[in-house]
Amino acid sequence: MTVQNGWLRKLAEDPGHSQWYIKRFRDMAASGADLVGEARLVDTLVPRGARILDAGCGPGRVGGHLATLGHDVTGVDLDPELIAAAVADHPGPRWLVGDLSTLSLPGPPFDAIVCAGNVMTFAAPDSRVDILRGFAAQLAPTGRAAIGFGAGRGYPFDEFLSDVTTAGLTQDLLLSTWDLRPFTPDADFLVALLRHP
């Protein structure tokens, strides 16, 4: 039996979940919460004006900030409601509804790919290597991908790192937070900076 994408399963169980998620991040932004840590890290990886893919962009908080810094951002998410919120809240980037497991975007490759917000843990297990292969295909030869997610979400870190190798990418740096804390075996979060071998 194929396991469904976790986000789609959540929406089937609670059709209002997307609107709750959008409101949650809008409320946090309004209260002054720091919602751009992932974007700060990715900005350090590339020169100004870089082409960046925000994979699983949700309502656009990461890609939207990267665009304000002068980057050429394309954001992709499976959920049309989240894409509509990204368009409304962060005009400028290209926001597209799409499935990361079958993603093939026209144009030159991306200088960086960011996949934050536990996106990889929501992906159906049998689609994860395909998603990583897609990232490899869309990543420029000297580009890097930054992928982050928490432990205990059904995708053990060692399994992810094995999938990275299977997909044709390699580890550049492993961190335990988006603010550059070193990864340790007991870390409860992983931020993997990946590149072509």
Side-chain angles (χ1 to χ4, degrees):
M1 178 177 139
T2 301
V3 177
Q4 184 182 31
N5 174 286
W7 188 263
L8 294 179
R9 188 173 57 250
K10 189 173 282 291
L11 291 180
E13 295 165 1
D14 176 11
H17 184 73
S18 296
Q19 289 304 313
W20 169 84
Y21 188 80
I22 292 163
K23 182 181 182 322
R24 175 180 173 227
F25 278 97
R26 285 177 175 162
D27 289 349
M28 286 192 296
S31 73
D34 179 7
L35 300 178
V36 297
E38 301 98 326
R40 279 195 301 273
L41 174 63
V42 172
D43 184 53
T44 68
L45 302 177
V46 293
R48 198 64 53 221
R51 192 166 139 82
I52 299 175
L53 172 62
D54 186 355
C57 63
R61 66 183 176 82
V62 176
H65 186 72
L66 288 165
T68 68
L69 297 175
H71 298 297
D72 177 11
V73 175
T74 299
V76 177
D77 200 281
L78 191 62
D79 188 330
E81 289 186 62
L82 298 184
I83 291 296
V87 169
D89 295 350
H90 306 283
R94 284 175 300 285
W95 302 112
L96 306 170
V97 176
D99 183 341
L100 296 178
S101 68
T102 59
L103 189 65
S104 178
L105 297 172
F110 292 94
D111 302 302
I113 296 172
V114 58
C115 185
N118 293 303
V119 169
M120 290 302 297
T121 65
F122 281 107
D126 63 356
S127 73
R128 291 171 176 160
V129 171
D130 291 335
I131 291 170
L132 292 167
R133 281 188 179 123
F135 290 171
Q138 298 276 311
L139 189 63
T142 59
R144 288 195 280 177
I147 301 173
F149 61 92
R153 294 179 165 268
Y155 198 8
F157 298 151
D158 59 344
E159 183 180 331
F160 166 76
L161 294 172
S162 175
D163 288 349
V164 164
T165 301
T166 299
L169 292 168
T170 192
Q171 302 171 37
D172 203 17
L173 179 65
L174 299 182
L175 302 166
S176 66
T177 63
W178 289 97
D179 63 353
L180 305 179
R181 298 183 195 280
F183 183 76
T184 60
D186 62 340
D188 62 2
F189 201 85
L190 170 65
V191 176
L193 301 184
L194 309 174
R195 61 177 171 77
H196 290 290

